[in-house]
Amino acid sequence: MPVLWLSFFILVVAASGFVLGRRRALQSAEGNSRNLHSLPAYYGSNALMKSIVPAFGVMFIWLLAQPIVIDSQIIQMIPSSEVSDDSNRGLVMSEVRRTASGLDNAIAAGVLDEETANNTGVDLTDITQRLKDAGQVVTSQITQPVLRAALAYREMSTQASLFMTVVVLILALAGAAWGVVQSDRAFRARNVVEHGIMAILIAAASVAILTTIGIILSLIFNTVEFFKLYPAADFFTLLEWAPSFSGRGGASSLGILPLLWGTIYISVIALLVAVPIGLFAAVYLSEYASPRVRGIAKPLLEILAGIPTIVYGLFALLTIGPLLVGVFGDNGLGWMGGGRSVMTAGIAMGIMLIPFVSSLSDDIINAVPQSLRDGAYGLGATRSETIKQVVLPAALPGIVGAVLLAASRAIGETMIVVLGAGAAARLSLNPFEAMTTVTAKIVSQLTGDSDFASPEALVAFALGISLFVLTLGLNVFALYIVRKYREQYE
């Protein structure tokens, strides 16, 4: 049964449990709700909760575990002779899944009948061509081991889905029946429901943590798979990025250093634009601007934070790049060959980061106690002297935290880099040359129909976890400084 229909039946059973539980509780109290321990709705909610939570919980876990269990069993059916020198079992397993999915879709479209699809003696060339004619993505030629594995994959998936449907429906019905049977006048339904809601809230709060752990584990596992195909020492030390995956990465030079250099170079230029402008804007808004001007200027400044990054990328490509070429290009100083460069992307990214620095710095400067300013004024200091010697030093830890958070945002930016900086991975000090970053290269590696078990895709995970470690370190440092600042003035 499709998951959508199964979910619908669970909701119907749960709703029925709610109605029956509530009715049975009132019947036990002879129709007078005052004789009940809890309000009638709590008895219905108890039956509803006992029906929904176990059923959906088991279905969710089942859907996550089923592909893993089936893959682990099917992959053992693939003989070693089927794995060529330029492939691995993961890639063959991907072909098995594509073939199984293609058969399912072809049967659903009426191109194949069930008997032909389940026939292991079918002509392989004919079945391959029929699937391609039906628009299904399959390998160039389906082999006999792949076809047998695909048929076993389909059969196991069908049986597992049927078994899951039975188990989940039994749980939903049993839970609803249990809740209805418990609906007696002396049953403490409110206590049970409140404890259940608390458990659901804890589970919801745990989702973010579990998701983070899952993301990290997926990065780690795929990175380990990549380093089985390509030496980790070369990945972290080579000075060039020249991918050629025809030899499973062996003929490639996949050094991350040019990408890291491009990432850091563009981020530094962006911060050189964003930090002075954002900090000066914050000082003006907090110390010099009248309340009316501040009320108008600050929201207008923060509008920059709401502009999509693709718009900044187009602004860099169509406006900043041509302006720079006019000054530093062949008709000017002759330093710049084209509109896409580190400087183009850095300026656009810096404009994007201005509200990150100004807004957070403004809040931090405003949080400096007024008593510090009054003390400076009492000693005869002017306003500018008070800002330079009292306010900014007092707000410095928070401002540094804001700058580091903006730096993390710059390191993770992609669209501006793709449109403004180009795609060349190189080590150069010239800010008017095109370069690229780690995030832009991750996007290019995962764009297309390459399999996630291929080195073309796996290298993106190695880049991703390297970037994750870098930004995590910056964020931890920024949070440490911000926390220290807050502890000082709260």
Side-chain angles (χ1 to χ4, degrees):
M1 179 184 295
V3 173
L4 184 61
W5 278 107
L6 183 58
S7 302
F8 175 74
F9 281 116
I10 293 173
L11 294 176
V12 170
V13 171
S16 302
F18 179 88
V19 174
L20 294 176
R22 184 178 184 280
R23 181 182 300 173
R24 190 170 190 276
L26 287 172
Q27 288 176 350
S28 68
E30 298 176 351
N32 187 357
S33 61
R34 294 183 178 180
N35 295 328
L36 295 172
H37 171 273
S38 309
L39 293 174
Y42 281 108
Y43 295 91
S45 300
N46 176 53
L48 183 143
M49 190 179 299
K50 284 184 168 59
S51 176
I52 282 182
V53 174
F56 276 118
V58 169
M59 184 171 70
F60 178 72
I61 296 173
W62 196 297
L63 291 174
L64 289 178
Q66 179 177 313
I68 300 174
V69 174
I70 293 178
D71 283 5
S72 64
Q73 296 185 17
I74 294 298
I75 202 169
Q76 297 175 4
M77 298 175 58
I78 300 173
S80 302
S81 58
E82 194 65 18
V83 184
S84 57
D85 294 337
D86 60 345
S87 179
N88 57 33
R89 288 187 180 273
L91 290 175
V92 179
M93 190 62 213
S94 300
E95 295 179 3
V96 171
R97 285 194 292 268
R98 284 198 298 269
T99 305
S101 176
L103 291 173
D104 288 337
N105 294 334
I107 293 172
V111 178
L112 278 179
D113 56 78
E114 191 71 37
E115 183 179 357
T116 304
N118 291 326
N119 184 10
T120 56
V122 70
D123 182 69
L124 296 175
T125 305
D126 177 63
I127 195 72
T128 303
Q129 190 58 46
R130 293 175 70 175
L131 288 178
K132 288 181 178 178
D133 293 341
Q136 302 305 313
V137 179
V138 294
T139 184
S140 57
Q141 177 62 53
I142 298 175
T143 61
Q144 191 65 40
V146 169
L147 180 61
R148 289 182 178 175
L151 294 178
Y153 186 91
R154 291 186 63 228
E155 184 179 359
M156 292 181 66
S157 299
T158 303
Q159 292 178 352
S161 298
L162 178 62
F163 194 44
M164 180 192 73
T165 301
V166 173
V167 170
V168 169
L169 285 178
I170 290 175
L171 281 175
L173 292 169
W178 184 23
V180 172
V181 170
Q182 284 183 320
S183 300
D184 184 76
R185 58 187 298 179
F187 179 64
R188 297 177 177 271
R190 184 185 64 189
N191 303 43
V192 174
V193 170
E194 289 180 348
H195 281 94
I197 291 175
M198 182 180 294
I200 293 173
L201 294 176
I202 293 173
S206 304
V207 167
I209 299 173
L210 295 175
T211 302
T212 304
I213 294 174
I215 291 172
I216 295 173
L217 290 178
S218 67
L219 287 175
I220 291 175
F221 289 148
N222 287 289
T223 302
V224 171
E225 289 296 320
F226 172 71
F227 286 137
K228 289 179 181 177
L229 302 172
Y230 190 80
D234 291 350
F235 180 76
F236 290 110
T237 57
L238 283 181
L239 301 180
E240 61 176 341
W241 178 270
S244 174
F245 297 102
S246 57
R248 313 303 304 160
S252 301
S253 296
L254 300 175
I256 192 176
L257 291 180
L259 304 180
L260 281 179
W261 171 247
T263 303
I264 294 172
Y265 203 0
I266 294 174
S267 300
V268 168
I269 291 177
L271 291 176
L272 288 176
V273 173
V275 171
I277 297 176
L279 191 56
F280 289 163
V283 171
Y284 170 73
L285 291 175
S286 60
E287 299 295 327
Y288 291 101
S290 65
R292 183 177 180 182
V293 173
R294 174 184 167 84
I296 297 174
K298 188 174 181 180
L300 291 176
L301 191 60
E302 291 177 344
I303 288 177
L304 288 174
I307 297 176
T309 56
I310 184 69
V311 177
Y312 282 107
L314 294 173
F315 179 64
L317 182 65
L318 302 176
T319 304
I320 298 178
L323 286 176
L324 291 177
V325 168
V327 179
F328 301 101
D330 294 335
N331 296 327
L333 298 175
W335 297 345
M336 196 169 181
R340 290 179 173 174
S341 67
V342 172
M343 190 64 74
T344 303
I347 292 174
M349 198 182 299
I351 295 172
M352 180 192 72
L353 294 178
I354 288 174
F356 286 84
V357 178
S358 65
S359 182
L360 192 53
S361 298
D362 177 55
D363 295 337
I364 293 166
I365 291 173
N366 277 322
V368 174
Q370 183 62 32
S371 59
L372 294 180
R373 297 180 179 84
D374 296 338
Y377 293 144
L379 292 174
T382 63
R383 176 178 288 187
S384 62
E385 290 172 341
T386 301
I387 294 171
K388 285 187 294 186
Q389 299 179 16
V390 177
V391 176
L392 289 181
L396 187 60
I399 293 173
V400 172
V403 172
L404 291 177
L405 288 175
S408 299
R409 180 71 179 82
I411 290 173
E413 177 52 39
T414 304
M415 291 308 301
I416 296 176
V417 176
V418 171
L419 296 176
R426 59 163 61 101
L427 285 168
S428 173
L429 291 174
N430 186 359
F432 299 104
E433 287 187 353
M435 292 187 194
T436 190
T437 63
V438 175
T439 54
K441 196 55 66 178
I442 290 174
V443 172
S444 66
Q445 293 303 130
L446 294 179
T447 302
D449 57 354
S450 60
D451 191 88
F452 278 93
S454 63
E456 293 93 328
L458 289 176
V459 68
F461 293 97
L463 294 173
I465 198 164
S466 302
L467 193 66
F468 173 77
V469 172
L470 180 63
T471 54
L472 179 65
L474 277 175
N475 279 296
V476 169
F477 187 52
L479 290 175
Y480 167 75
I481 293 176
V482 171
R483 183 172 297 175
K484 183 179 179 180
Y485 166 78
R486 287 177 178 169
E487 288 177 353
Q488 187 174 356
Y489 290 106
E490 281 182 351

